[in-house]
Every structure is written in structure tokens, then in C-alpha cells.
Amino acid sequence: MTATRVLVLNSGSSSVKYQLLDMRDSSRLANGLVERIGEQSSRLKHTPLAAGGGSREWTGPIADHDAALKAVAEELAKDGLGLDSPELAAIGHRVVHGGKHFTEPTVIDDAVLAEIERLIPVAPLHNPANLTGIRTATALRPDLPQVAVFDTAFHTTMPEAAARYAIDVETADAHRVRRYGFHGTSHAYVSRATAKLLGKAPEEVNVIVLHLGNGASASAVEKGRCVDTSMGLTPLEGLVMGTRSGDIDPAVIFHLARVGEMSIDEIDTLLNKKSGLIGLCGDNDMREIRRRIDEGDERAKLAFDIYIHRLKKYIGAYYAVLGHVDAVAFTAGVGENAAPVREAAVAGLGSLGLAVDDELNAVRGDEPRLISPAGARVAVAVVPTDEELEIATQTYALVQKTN
């Protein structure tokens, strides 16, 4: 029997998202979420997609990631999809930070684990949780290839001119300070899917990808390769996000420390959790912000205007970086669902060949689609992202190649 299934695991600090796919046709067999790990009110929701049945859900104490993955394995086994199945080819793990050296999916061994651990100082919230998921999954199936797919890998093709900060080189190198970028699996998937939508190969098109969710990032993709992206050493740089400030004068930090007498931890919390949309207007849900704007709320309108202003700046900047743009693609929760954001982001950019058709922009759907007017010089697209499929595809391709 040929093993064609891949289990994708995304281990967070207190959660595990998972999806089981059959790579013969990229079909989903099951997916689910374990959240609030370590609490008495932990919750597991499991959906057996292949069986056509409804979701199963239960709450109760799940002590740690080991217990969480064992609970996931039990749920999969109920549907005949257990981790002991000979049809399972590999487990693919989302790893947020791979530094500058992990440029592609990698079979995990002790050396890889050690390097992911060494990168914890530049990804303190994410890499420890990713490591826990890897170690637990390896203990459950030590005979199975475990593959790391890195959020940063797609961005390692950035030239040094885009990847380096203008600070002392020796200091930067000693502390690994450079621009890494994130959401790479999404940017990779969406840029290729956009090329396909245009009927071309990825190597034939230049695409600006706008991944707009609670976390948000932009990328400039030239002929299938990332040449610039908005996030940097951490996911804090770049666009205005749900709770993150995005770009800010670094001296603001010194000012808050000296004049505001705030500690480094307090400033870190401010910029990562109390800024962005929620800091500007008290809401980080774009639907709620638009509702408030419709009711005449000026604070919500200002937050929206700041969000769009920053977004438009990056579109223009990446247009300049690429020189020629074939498409701008919107993706993720806000990008896929918020028509007013898409409309506002390209408003006034007609001289760059960018515009949206009002009727096409208002249509909702799960498939990639164009929302620009017929004959537009630059295509504007909505492309639902699929990071799990991207991870599974890269994992399976590597395992097939290795075998």
C-alpha cells in the first residue's frame, strides 16, 4: 500500500491545529483544533470531512501538548484515520522561524531541532511551541518522517539590500538581526495560485501579495521568488494589524522608556497587543469597525484610514521594487472577505493600472477570482489562502524525493 496521507500540525503555545490530507487528490480527510491546553476548560473540536459526518466537540482538562496530540490521535482513530495507519506518509509541522539557513522544507533530525531551538530568542512565542509539537509527534510515530515547513523560508530569496537593516554589520550578524519575513507559506501559495488564475506559470508573473488577517503582511514576488516583504526580524514590522503597530519610529521606544517610564516588557506588550486597530479604536475586527463607520463613528473611521494609508504605501513601494506588476492579490480573513478594504486600498491608483469592479468586488466565494475590470492593465484578485495544503504539498514532495 502506497502511503499518501500527510498530517499537518500547527502547534501554538496553548493550541494545536491539525489537518489530515490525502495527497493523491489533495482532499481533506479531517481537521480540528485543540485549544486552551493546560487549562481545566481545554476544548477539542474534530471534523471528519471524509466521513461526511458532523463535528465532534468536547471540553475538559488537557494537561499538555503530549496529551493534546494523543487526544487528536484518538479522534482520528475513531474515523479509521489513526496515526498508526500505514497510509500515513509523513507529518508536516509549521515552524514559524527558520532563520536565514532553512530555505526549504526539511526532514527533522537532532541537528534541525537544535537549530530551531537556537532561534528561540528571535521567535520566543512561536518556536518553543513548534518544538513541543515536533517532539510529541515524533514520540508517537518515531518511524515516520517529520518535516518542518518554515514561515520564513519563502522570504530567504530576498536580496541583501532588502533583508538587511542599516545598522552596524558586526552587531547585526552577532545577534542575527535582519529581516526574515513571515506568513511565507501563505505568500508562496497565493503567488502561485494567482499565476494559475492568470493562466501563466509563476516564473512569468510579478505579484504583490497582501495577506490581511489579524496579523498582516505584504510581499513583492518577482517571477515566483520573494524579493521583499513587510515583516522583519519579528512579525511586528510593516502593515497596521489587529493588535500590532507595524512600522514605527524606533525612537518612540526610547521616548516611552525615558519619558513614559515604561519597561521594555510594557512597551513590548503595547506594540504587539495594544496597538494597531485595537489601539486606535478599541476593535480589531474589521466587520465591527465597518459597522461603526456606517454609524458615523469618527474614531473607527480614523483607524480604518490609517490602516488603508499604510496598505496603500506598501502597494506603491512594491510596485516600485518590482518595476512591473501583473497582479495584486488579496488573501486571509480581511483580504478575502472585506470588500471595502480592497476597494479603498486601490482607490486612486488608476494611473498604476489598479482598479476594482464594484460588482465583482462585492461577490463572496471560496475560489480564486478576479475583481478588476475587464481589460485592466493589472489584475486585482481575491485568492483564498491554504497554508495547510501548502505545508502538506511541500512535505509530501520532500518525502517522495527522499524515498
Side-chain angles (χ1 to χ4, degrees), residues 205-253:
V205 298
N206 290 352
V207 183
I208 297 172
V209 178
L210 305 172
H211 177 107
L212 308 179
N214 193 50
S217 60
S219 68
V221 183
E222 182 179 46
K223 296 177 171 47
R225 293 166 58 86
C226 177
V227 295
D228 206 347
T229 192
S230 59
M231 287 179 167
L233 173 71
T234 76
L236 182 58
E237 186 181 355
L239 302 175
V240 175
M241 304 176 221
T243 65
R244 299 179 192 134
S245 66
D247 292 340
I248 192 169
D249 180 351
V252 170
I253 297 168

Side-chain angles (χ1 to χ4, degrees), residues 6-10 90-94 145-149 391-392 395:
V6 173
L7 177 64
V8 175
L9 292 178
N10 181 354
I91 297 178
H93 298 266
R94 178 196 180 216
Q146 309 279 335
V147 175
V149 177
I391 293 170
T395 296

Side-chain angles (χ1 to χ4, degrees), residues 165-211:
Y165 292 108
I167 65 172
D168 174 69
V169 171
E170 286 74 21
T171 301
D173 289 348
H175 300 287
R176 302 187 180 202
V177 176
R178 63 187 288 115
R179 303 185 64 251
Y180 295 101
F182 299 89
H183 295 145
T185 50
S186 176
H187 286 278
Y189 176 85
V190 171
S191 60
R192 286 200 297 270
T194 302
K196 183 178 180 181
L197 182 64
L198 299 180
K200 297 182 178 181
E203 299 76 19
E204 298 177 307
V205 298
N206 290 352
V207 183
I208 297 172
V209 178
L210 305 172
H211 177 107

Side-chain angles (χ1 to χ4, degrees), residues 41-266:
S41 59
S42 305
R43 171 177 172 267
L44 188 156
K45 183 177 181 180
H46 174 83
T47 304
L49 301 169
S55 298
R56 300 193 294 269
E57 185 174 336
W58 61 267
T59 58
I62 296 179
D64 50 30
H65 282 71
D66 181 67
L69 281 182
K70 286 177 179 175
V72 169
E74 289 176 7
E75 291 301 316
L76 288 167
K78 292 176 183 177
D79 306 310
L81 304 170
L83 297 190
D84 58 350
S85 170
E87 294 182 66
L88 189 60
I91 297 178
H93 298 266
R94 178 196 180 216
V95 179
V96 167
H97 216 308
K100 64 182 291 188
H101 299 296
F102 289 117
T103 62
E104 55 189 17
T106 305
V107 175
I108 299 167
D109 57 19
D110 289 343
V112 173
L113 282 173
E115 184 61 21
I116 296 172
E117 193 159 15
R118 284 183 62 209
L119 288 163
I120 286 176
V122 290
L125 298 179
H126 299 97
N127 275 29
N130 300 155
L131 282 167
T132 300
I134 292 168
R135 288 173 173 141
T136 302
T138 300
L140 289 173
R141 278 298 303 268
D143 60 313
L144 206 62
Q146 309 279 335
V147 175
V149 177
F150 300 93
D151 264 15
T152 49
F154 183 64
H155 304 305
T156 58
T157 55
M158 282 193 295
E160 285 292 279
R164 280 199 175 270
Y165 292 108
I167 65 172
D168 174 69
V169 171
E170 286 74 21
T171 301
D173 289 348
H175 300 287
R176 302 187 180 202
V177 176
R178 63 187 288 115
R179 303 185 64 251
Y180 295 101
F182 299 89
H183 295 145
T185 50
S186 176
H187 286 278
Y189 176 85
V190 171
S191 60
R192 286 200 297 270
T194 302
K196 183 178 180 181
L197 182 64
L198 299 180
K200 297 182 178 181
E203 299 76 19
E204 298 177 307
V205 298
N206 290 352
V207 183
I208 297 172
V209 178
L210 305 172
H211 177 107
L212 308 179
N214 193 50
S217 60
S219 68
V221 183
E222 182 179 46
K223 296 177 171 47
R225 293 166 58 86
C226 177
V227 295
D228 206 347
T229 192
S230 59
M231 287 179 167
L233 173 71
T234 76
L236 182 58
E237 186 181 355
L239 302 175
V240 175
M241 304 176 221
T243 65
R244 299 179 192 134
S245 66
D247 292 340
I248 192 169
D249 180 351
V252 170
I253 297 168
F254 313 145
H255 178 78
L256 293 175
R258 292 168 181 155
V259 178
E261 298 183 344
M262 295 176 68
S263 69
I264 291 297
D265 287 344
E266 287 173 330

Side-chain angles (χ1 to χ4, degrees), residues 11-24:
S11 298
S13 57
S14 62
S15 67
V16 175
K17 296 178 184 177
Y18 63 93
Q19 192 163 133
L20 181 66
L21 300 94
D22 189 328
M23 300 315 296
R24 288 176 297 185

